[in-house]
Amino acid sequence: MTASATTAPPALRPEPAAPAPARRRGRFGVHLFLGAVSLAFLAPLLLAVYASLRPYEETARYGYFSFPRRLSFDYYRQAFTDSGMSKYFLNSLLIAVPGVLLTLFLASFVAFAVSRLRIRGGIILLMVFTAGNLLPQQVIVTPLYALFNRIPLPYWMSDSLTMYDSLWAVIAVQTAFQLGFCVFVLANFMRTLPQEILEAAIVDGAGVWTQFWRVTLPLCRPALAALGTLQFTWMYNDFLWGLVFLSDGDKLPVTSALNNLRGEFFTDYNLLAAGSVLVALPTVLVFLLLQRHFIAGLTLGASKG
């Protein structure tokens, strides 16, 4: 046999992998960039925490970026007691918790109808809900103010006997404005669920309610957790609607309690920083409790084709 007959064609060889030092350098650069971005976002919060632990006289004399002479939690106790923050915390929870639950409940209904039942005009309905997020909130403040003053409520629901100056007004507005975003996210999430699961449920005799409540909704837990975290943060931190629709100072949300820490002629910004940190604690706690589901809801589907 000749040499040409016995020589096999060269096999396709994979490209050589990048050297390990080069990969480590690239990974170190990515981590360095992410660390710098994270520090830039955390810098205002860290500065507020740092200022809240120092006396105002010290920062006024040496500056906010000076080395501390004395650190204490006195400002936190003073901020909590002087502003009456406990009742404002309760008001914010009475607005945010029902608002989040009602928003997710209604949005899941609409998203299921649009994405899984294939109703006629579902795309147009989804576009209408999404377009509602594009409407500036300030545009409808005056019409809503006039409307809520004309909607009667029984005495056990509102002291003013109208929807104005009641927590129901704030909950209704928060739910209406956040509903479009939740419908958009849940509808797109439900479209990624395998259709075979619903088909198997239908074969087993499941009705529409069973398909929604016992089949689809449990699979949407990561998306619901992510949306719940975001919605709670947005509703809890809102300041506009409570200020517009609540005239009784005892019903205002906790964001308005910070205004009680401002003096008429002088404002202790270290005390204000301590109050701001206290106000932010519930949202941080909610994120820590739902962190695993929140990250799963954001990253689910990232590796799909």
Side-chain angles (χ1 to χ4, degrees):
M1 298 177 64
T2 62
S4 60
T6 58
T7 303
L12 295 177
R13 296 179 180 179
E15 292 293 332
R23 291 200 303 269
R24 284 196 295 267
R25 285 195 299 269
R27 193 172 302 169
F28 175 77
V30 171
H31 289 171
L32 184 64
F33 172 75
L34 294 177
V37 172
S38 302
L39 184 61
F41 276 94
L42 289 175
L45 177 62
L46 296 177
L47 181 60
V49 174
Y50 181 54
S52 66
L53 297 174
R54 304 178 63 188
Y56 179 79
E57 295 78 10
E58 181 179 308
T59 55
R61 181 177 181 181
Y62 301 105
Y64 282 93
F65 295 97
S66 59
F67 189 79
R69 273 71 175 175
R70 184 172 68 88
L71 298 176
S72 68
F73 291 95
D74 295 340
Y75 273 136
Y76 288 93
R77 176 188 52 78
Q78 184 179 348
F80 191 83
T81 55
D82 291 358
S83 64
M85 200 169 286
S86 57
K87 65 179 179 182
Y88 295 112
F89 269 127
L90 180 60
N91 293 339
S92 290
L93 292 179
L94 290 177
I95 293 172
V97 174
V100 170
L101 295 178
L102 187 60
T103 301
L104 295 181
F105 187 67
L106 296 177
S108 60
F109 271 123
V110 179
F112 178 78
V114 170
S115 62
R116 309 300 284 182
L117 298 183
R118 310 294 183 181
I119 62 174
R120 182 176 300 179
I123 299 299
I124 298 177
L125 181 63
L126 181 60
M127 292 174 60
V128 170
F129 272 93
T130 306
N133 290 334
L134 306 179
L135 182 67
Q137 299 179 356
Q138 294 80 2
V139 173
I140 62 172
V141 166
T142 302
L144 285 178
Y145 176 83
L147 177 64
F148 288 159
N149 273 287
R150 298 182 181 182
I151 298 178
L153 289 179
Y155 70 92
W156 54 271
M157 292 184 65
S158 173
D159 297 337
S160 62
L161 301 181
T162 63
M163 201 162 181
Y164 176 73
D165 195 25
S166 69
L167 298 181
W168 299 103
V170 184
I171 294 174
V173 174
Q174 294 280 17
T175 301
F177 264 98
Q178 302 300 335
L179 195 59
F181 175 75
C182 292
V183 169
F184 176 77
V185 173
L186 286 176
N188 286 281
F189 183 87
M190 289 181 182
R191 285 196 179 98
T192 64
L193 301 178
Q195 187 65 28
E196 292 78 7
I197 297 179
L198 272 188
E199 293 175 354
I202 294 173
V203 170
D204 291 338
V208 175
W209 175 255
T210 303
Q211 297 173 36
F212 166 73
W213 188 255
R214 301 187 62 181
V215 179
T216 304
L217 210 56
L219 297 176
C220 297
R221 184 179 301 173
L224 291 173
L227 284 175
T229 306
L230 293 175
Q231 294 301 317
F232 180 85
T233 302
W234 293 338
M235 293 184 186
Y236 176 86
N237 289 329
D238 180 74
F239 179 74
L240 173 65
W241 297 122
L243 189 66
V244 171
F245 297 128
L246 296 174
S247 61
D248 188 351
D250 292 335
K251 299 178 182 178
L252 290 173
V254 70
T255 48
S256 64
L258 296 177
N259 196 48
N260 297 338
L261 299 176
R262 301 176 65 93
E264 184 177 358
F265 303 104
F266 166 75
T267 299
D268 189 339
Y269 289 100
N270 292 30
L271 176 63
L272 198 61
S276 301
V277 173
L278 288 176
V279 169
L281 284 180
T283 56
V284 175
L285 180 61
V286 169
F287 175 78
L288 293 177
L289 291 177
L290 300 177
Q291 180 181 10
R292 180 170 60 89
H293 298 289
F294 178 76
I295 296 176
L298 293 181
T299 58
L300 193 62
S303 60
K304 293 182 179 179

